[in-house]
Amino acid sequence: MTTERRPVDRVLFVAHSGQVSGAETVMLDLVHHAVSDGLGVTVACAAGPLVDRLPAGVDHVEIGHLGLTGESGAARLVGGARLLARWRAVGRALRPLVTAPGTATVVNSLYALPAMRWAAGDDGVSWLVHDTAVSGRQQAVVRAAKPRIRRAVAVSSATAAPLRAMGVPVVVAHNGVRWPVDQLPSELHSPPVVGMLALLTPWKGHKVLLEAAATLPHIEVEFAGGSFPGDVDHVAELHARAAATDLDARVRFLGHTDLRTALARWDVVVSASVEPEAGPLSVLEAMSYGKPVVGTDHGGTTEFLTGGAGVLVPPGDPTALADGISRVLSDGDLRARMIAAARQRVADEHDLSRTLPAMLDALLT
């Protein structure tokens, strides 16, 4: 990967929402790094928690939310038409910023990409890829925006593969986490606690973990993370399932909480996504702090956990997930080997002090 940058003095980051999940956390790290490099930074996103976390001196341009919000049936068709109109309006509004001399545009999310059809000039934009585009809908969005994608920077090889198949110019720049960090204690709690750090949205697989936990009466479960406004019904379903007799009093919803505090409470961390993750930060964070991870065997999760750094199970399979959790909890030697392999992988491949400059260089090259 070449690291020679174009002549750029300002970076415009475009996000599809004002919420903060893993993708926005990566973007915020890039914003801080760009500022420390002496670059001017503008962030275009909807109002929300993301705006409150922008560093001083960063300009904010408010735009509409650029994603679907949980509609179904006929309402989804209406929502799609409205989204197309928002893409067009946002693209036209951002065009003077995107085409300004000396400005590089980084699109931070799949559903902000189509707006660039109306915003970008001949130079195009860079796309930081946080979504493994395997569904027909995702690939349709990519194809719609492809003429304006100058370069895609994927956070894992699994995420780059479908884009290459569609003819998108793509390179890989891995996610990273802060390193070194002290290993958290590895003694099991009584009863053991299985944790999941993810937004309460359907594809993250919280339901799968609840079904697995229902067959493991000796464990407790904690979910850390907030939710999108459009996922109210899904969150209610999770709470209802957690209150059922086979799980009653064994499931806790922590909401937004400090990462290290949550990890210290947990004996096993689960990433149960039913769709492939690109490069889940929650998995890397758990690995860095020495918490064994059981994850679904697809996307970037496979790349992180292969070779003994974690336990991989088929997606959407509560029985396999329960078996994986049981193996880790019952075998102290296995846990020790996993922890050592995972921390070494973070040190070798996912140290943020190295991955972050490489990612920004790839986006600005």
Side-chain angles (χ1 to χ4, degrees):
M1 179 190 303
T2 179
T3 58
E4 183 179 349
R5 293 185 187 175
R6 296 175 291 157
V8 169
D9 52 38
R10 176 165 290 274
V11 185
L12 170 65
F13 291 91
V14 184
H16 83 285
S17 84
Q19 300 299 312
V20 179
S21 60
E24 290 76 29
T25 298
V26 174
M27 189 189 80
L28 286 167
D29 283 338
L30 288 167
V31 166
H32 280 277
H33 190 69
V35 170
S36 71
D37 271 6
L39 296 171
V41 175
T42 300
V43 173
C45 67
L50 177 58
V51 179
D52 298 332
R53 293 179 58 176
L54 297 177
V58 170
D59 296 328
H60 171 237
V61 175
E62 185 171 342
I63 59 176
H65 180 85
L66 297 177
L68 293 170
T69 55
E71 303 95 334
S72 60
R76 189 175 188 87
L77 294 176
V78 175
R82 290 174 177 168
L83 178 57
L84 178 61
R86 287 199 301 274
W87 279 332
R88 183 185 298 113
V90 167
R92 289 172 174 170
L94 291 181
R95 184 173 175 82
L97 297 177
V98 174
T99 58
T103 297
T105 298
V106 175
V107 179
N108 195 60
S109 49
L110 174 66
Y111 288 104
L113 264 183
M116 297 301 107
R117 288 293 299 265
W118 293 273
D122 293 338
D123 289 343
V125 300
S126 297
W127 172 29
L128 182 55
V129 190
H130 301 286
D131 300 277
T132 305
V134 293
S135 73
R137 184 177 65 182
Q138 290 172 318
Q139 293 184 1
V141 172
V142 173
R143 291 190 179 96
K146 181 181 170 183
R148 292 295 182 263
I149 301 173
R150 184 186 61 82
R151 166 181 271 202
V153 177
V155 299
S156 65
S157 297
T159 297
L163 300 181
R164 289 199 178 100
M166 287 186 282
V168 176
V170 59
V171 297
V172 175
H174 293 288
N175 278 339
V177 290
R178 283 160 181 79
W179 183 263
V181 295
D182 291 335
Q183 181 177 332
L184 290 169
S186 57
E187 294 80 11
L188 295 182
H189 296 85
S190 181
V193 182
V194 176
M196 189 167 164
L197 179 65
L199 283 169
L200 302 176
T201 198
W203 72 276
K204 291 290 188 178
H206 296 83
K207 285 184 177 180
V208 181
L209 177 53
L210 289 178
E211 296 304 327
T215 69
L216 300 172
H218 62 291
I219 72 165
E220 296 183 347
V221 174
E222 292 189 342
F223 294 138
S227 61
F228 290 122
D231 287 328
V232 173
D233 291 343
H234 173 69
V235 173
E237 289 176 11
L238 293 179
H239 280 271
R241 180 66 184 92
T245 304
D246 54 358
L247 286 169
D248 190 26
R250 292 197 290 124
V251 180
R252 293 179 289 275
F253 294 83
L254 306 181
H256 292 290
T257 189
D258 176 71
L259 167 70
R260 192 179 186 281
T261 300
L263 290 174
R265 298 166 61 99
W266 299 343
D267 299 295
V268 176
V269 174
V270 166
S271 178
S273 300
V274 296
E275 298 176 12
E277 297 262 16
L281 290 181
S282 61
V283 172
L284 287 178
E285 295 282 12
M287 292 166 66
S288 70
Y289 280 105
K291 291 296 176 177
V293 180
V294 179
T296 43
D297 192 3
H298 52 182
T301 305
T302 298
E303 295 177 30
F304 292 169
L305 299 181
T306 192
V311 170
L312 291 162
V313 298
D317 188 335
T319 301
L321 180 57
D323 288 346
I325 292 169
S326 294
R327 282 178 53 205
V328 174
L329 289 175
S330 64
D331 190 335
D333 290 338
L334 173 62
R335 290 198 303 275
R337 292 194 302 271
M338 289 170 59
I339 289 169
R343 280 174 58 85
Q344 189 62 54
R345 177 154 296 159
V346 171
D348 292 344
E349 302 176 22
H350 300 286
D351 180 344
L352 189 66
S353 68
R354 298 195 303 269
T355 61
L356 192 62
M359 182 177 286
L360 186 61
D361 284 341
L363 290 164
L364 302 187
T365 295

